[in-house]
């Protein structure tokens, strides 16, 4: 996510938090915030709703923010589960709007579904057209905001982010590159590794 003048909302983090084999809902669990990043007035910077969506207030500065929460089943005696949601806010990249001529370089396309089964299909992050941008960097962060991969020579063949060395989870990518006219660009998003 990038710094914004409006409030930002994430997709549900519950899709990554299974209780048994079920995705939590407000009908099956009680959600309790335990701790998290706070602002100067000691208020939590991130909030979470009953759908599992995190909200980031407008004008929150760039940085890594977390919210440690607990999910407890409404029925039964199962112990509560705890988890940490992390949001990495990147500095806003301002690039003047450009009307691309017909000969403009193709856009980057990130294929964000990965399999850690090492069967040769979707086992690494594929970034279409990355080879057309000689000056680039690719960074991958885990859901705790820790950098788990970095490369300035990503090539989709030998220098790649491999899924089999990571745990099943959601990861975030940041790709920064210069186009043929040395104009900076940035592309960010998420990827999912399935075991």
């Amino acid at each position: 996510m990038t710094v914004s003048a409006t409030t930002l909302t994430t997709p549900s983090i519950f899709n990554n938090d299974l209780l048994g084999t079920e995705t939590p809902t407000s009908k099956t669990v009680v959600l309790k915030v335990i701790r998290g990043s706070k602002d100067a007035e000691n208020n939590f910077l991130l909030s979470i709703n009953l759908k599992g969506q995190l909200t980031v207030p407008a004008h929150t500065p760039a940085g890594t923010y977390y919210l440690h929460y607990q999910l407890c089943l409404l029925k039964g005696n199962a112990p509560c589960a705890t988890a940490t949601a992390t949001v990495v806010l990147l500095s806003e990249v301002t690039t003047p709007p450009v009307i691309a001529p017909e000969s403009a370089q193709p856009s980057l396309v990130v294929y964000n579904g990965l399999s850690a089964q090492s069967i040769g299909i979707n086992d690494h992050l594929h970034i279409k057209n990355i080879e057309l941008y000689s000056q680039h960097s690719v960074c991958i962060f885990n859901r705790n905001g820790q950098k788990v991969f970095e490369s300035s020579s990503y090539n989709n063949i030998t220098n790649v982010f491999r899924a089999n060395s990571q745990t099943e989870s959601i990861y975030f990518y940041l790709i920064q590159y210069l186009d043929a006219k040395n104009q900076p660009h940035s592309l960010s998003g998420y990827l999912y590794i399935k075991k």
Side-chain angles (χ1 to χ4, degrees):
M1 300 180 104
T2 56
V3 173
S4 176
T6 60
T7 300
L8 301 170
T9 303
T10 68
S12 177
I13 59 174
F14 289 163
N15 294 335
N16 200 42
D17 293 326
L18 296 180
L19 289 172
T21 59
E22 300 295 319
T23 300
T25 68
S26 60
K27 295 178 181 178
T28 59
V29 297
V30 174
L31 170 70
K32 177 182 176 186
V33 174
I34 299 173
R35 63 183 174 275
S37 302
K38 295 188 176 185
D39 63 15
E41 296 166 359
N42 208 28
N43 298 312
F44 287 116
L45 279 168
L46 303 178
S47 60
I48 187 169
N49 64 24
L50 292 176
K51 293 179 183 177
Q53 297 168 314
L54 293 172
T55 301
V56 181
H59 306 289
T60 299
T64 301
Y65 303 97
Y66 75 95
L67 192 69
H68 194 67
Y69 60 96
Q70 184 177 59
L71 296 173
C72 299
L73 289 173
L74 285 173
K75 297 179 181 175
N77 295 332
C80 296
T82 59
T84 302
T86 304
V87 172
V88 178
L89 279 181
L90 305 172
S91 297
E92 189 171 26
V93 177
T94 55
T95 314
V98 175
I99 298 173
E102 290 182 25
S103 62
Q105 286 177 290
S107 301
L108 295 179
V109 178
V110 177
Y111 298 94
N112 64 351
L114 302 172
S115 171
Q117 296 181 0
S118 298
I119 59 174
I121 301 172
N122 297 328
D123 60 353
H124 71 273
L125 176 64
H126 185 79
I127 307 168
K128 183 177 179 180
N129 299 323
I130 192 73
E131 69 281 359
L132 302 175
Y133 300 91
S134 60
Q135 294 184 11
H136 67 267
S137 68
V138 176
C139 294
I140 311 291
F141 302 89
N142 65 17
R143 66 185 274 179
N144 296 323
Q146 298 168 318
K147 190 183 299 182
V148 296
F149 177 85
E150 182 174 22
S151 174
S152 60
S153 58
Y154 204 92
N155 64 13
N156 288 323
I157 300 168
T158 56
N159 192 353
V160 295
F161 175 70
R162 297 211 176 271
N164 63 359
S165 62
Q166 304 298 324
T167 59
E168 181 173 336
S169 187
I170 293 176
Y171 293 79
F172 302 92
Y173 63 84
L174 171 63
I175 304 168
Q176 296 177 317
Y177 59 99
L178 297 178
D179 64 18
K181 295 181 180 179
N182 281 333
Q183 295 297 309
H185 298 272
S186 180
L187 180 64
S188 62
Y190 74 94
L191 55 104
Y192 182 70
I193 295 179
K194 178 86 171 137
K195 290 277 184 184

